Amino acid sequence: MALDIRIEKIAKSRVDEIDFHNIPFGKVFTDHMLEADYVDGKWTNVVIRPFANLSIHPGNAALHYGQSIFEGMKANRSADGNPLLFRAHKHVDRINASARRMCMPEVPEELFMEGLKKLVYLDKNWIPDVAGCSLYIRPFLFATDEFLGVRASETYKFMILLLPVGAYYSAPVKLKAEEKYVRAVQGGVGEAKTSGNYAASLLPAQEAKAQGYDQVMWLDGKEFKYIQEVGTMNIFFVVGNKILTPETDGAILKGITRDSILHILKDKGYDVETRPITIEEIMQAGKTGELKEVFGAGTAAVIAYVSELKYKNDIINLDAKQFQIAPMLYDTIQGLKTQTLPDKFGWVEEVTADEPNFAV
Ligand SMILES: *Cc1c(COP(=O)(O)O)cnc(C)c1O
């Protein structure tokens, strides 16, 4: 089925108003956005149009009952100034896994990919030409039924927004292992990138901040024993010469950065273990000095160094300047994303003038 994407261009780009050396995260949006509606069991009204407010019915089902999911990915600039997408198909798969869990319709791969390529190519001058900066891509899907009642909506809107962003975290982060609140349990929605998960994390994050910590490290919701992840990142530990990360168990978000790291580490011959990891064993490794590095991994930060880990009354300090694996992973992932390293895994896709073929 050929996809008809209507394009309405902005009269004058706002790109010249932006200082790419000083971009506040999450606040600056590009000239255009993609919008598509799901009505009568079909995707329709696919349009790329100037960025603007939406008009929403006050009885909108997503606002009341939370059928709302999203993705986060990044594009970088190629040497020719074209957008470079990184593992975009994995994001299509994941938004559709989230959609199935939240009882929402899947976004066809063709709609997602063609819409994204056209949008990102149209706004390619917004991809910062500054080291460490990139174009953040926010695809999202939400219910649009104008109806108060708990049932799956029959209509939905899929959108893609683009935001130029700088480096996410600059300083190493301090983490507190959370002993009171939980993020997700097996059988819940922790594996879905759904809005409510983030609303639920705000109070614990605020309490951790008040105690001097940047983010919460989540433990499992049954025993408070196994490490899950951190804020909006998966987590890795270097213990001795092994690299550990929790096995995804239905409650942990399956990060694409996490997956990329596992591929890179195995390719480079590191000893990697994905398995259940207890907070006790990590604190113990911290005490004996076996714990060499702790870092978070996610699209926004890519890699975030951890300088402090608190659990109960124990604190482990780490000297992020001594880390070796974490910076190697950052450099490798950035190198792949920006095509300064050869794309040996086939993860990078350059969007050029004649591709996507704008066939409709
Ligand atoms: C998005 C996200 C991650 C990281 O996933 P990436 O695909 O690497 O960006 C990890 N944990 C949570 C809770 C997330 O929402």
Side-chain angles (χ1 to χ4, degrees), residues 292-346:
K292 307 289 184 203
E293 302 182 29
V294 180
F295 53 91
T299 295
V302 186
I303 301 284
Y305 300 179
V306 176
S307 60
E308 188 176 321
L309 200 55
K310 179 181 184 291
Y311 175 59
K312 294 190 172 159
N313 293 319
D314 290 335
I315 290 177
I316 293 170
N317 287 293
L318 295 143
D319 182 4
K321 286 198 246 9
Q322 304 292 325
F323 287 8
Q324 293 177 358
I325 310 278
M328 178 280 289
L329 287 168
Y330 179 86
D331 291 343
T332 307
I333 292 173
Q334 285 302 93
L336 291 168
K337 285 185 171 176
T338 53
Q339 270 184 343
T340 52
L341 287 179
D343 182 21
K344 69 184 294 186
F345 302 100

Side-chain angles (χ1 to χ4, degrees), residues 94 183 193 198 229 231-234 253 255-257 297-299:
R94 190 170 64 190
R183 189 190 91 92
K193 234 172 154 69
Y198 304 86
E229 57 183 305
T232 57
M233 294 183 288
N234 295 110
L253 201 292
I256 292 165
T257 314
T299 295

Side-chain angles (χ1 to χ4, degrees), residues 158-175:
F158 172 65
M159 298 190 67
I160 304 178
L161 308 178
L162 305 177
L163 301 87
V165 292
Y168 194 64
Y169 298 110
S170 33
V173 294
K174 295 181 180 183
L175 302 181

Side-chain angles (χ1 to χ4, degrees), residues 203-233:
L203 181 63
Q206 236 172 40
E207 291 185 8
K209 272 235 160 68
Q211 295 163 22
Y213 291 87
D214 299 295
Q215 288 198 40
V216 159
M217 185 168 81
W218 299 108
L219 303 179
D220 78 276
K222 256 190 198 156
E223 301 175 82
F224 287 91
K225 182 176 169 188
Y226 297 99
I227 294 168
Q228 290 186 323
E229 57 183 305
V230 173
T232 57
M233 294 183 288

Side-chain angles (χ1 to χ4, degrees), residues 30 61 145 264 269 276 284 304-305 320:
T30 66
D145 273 10
I264 292 165
Q284 189 57 32
Y305 300 179

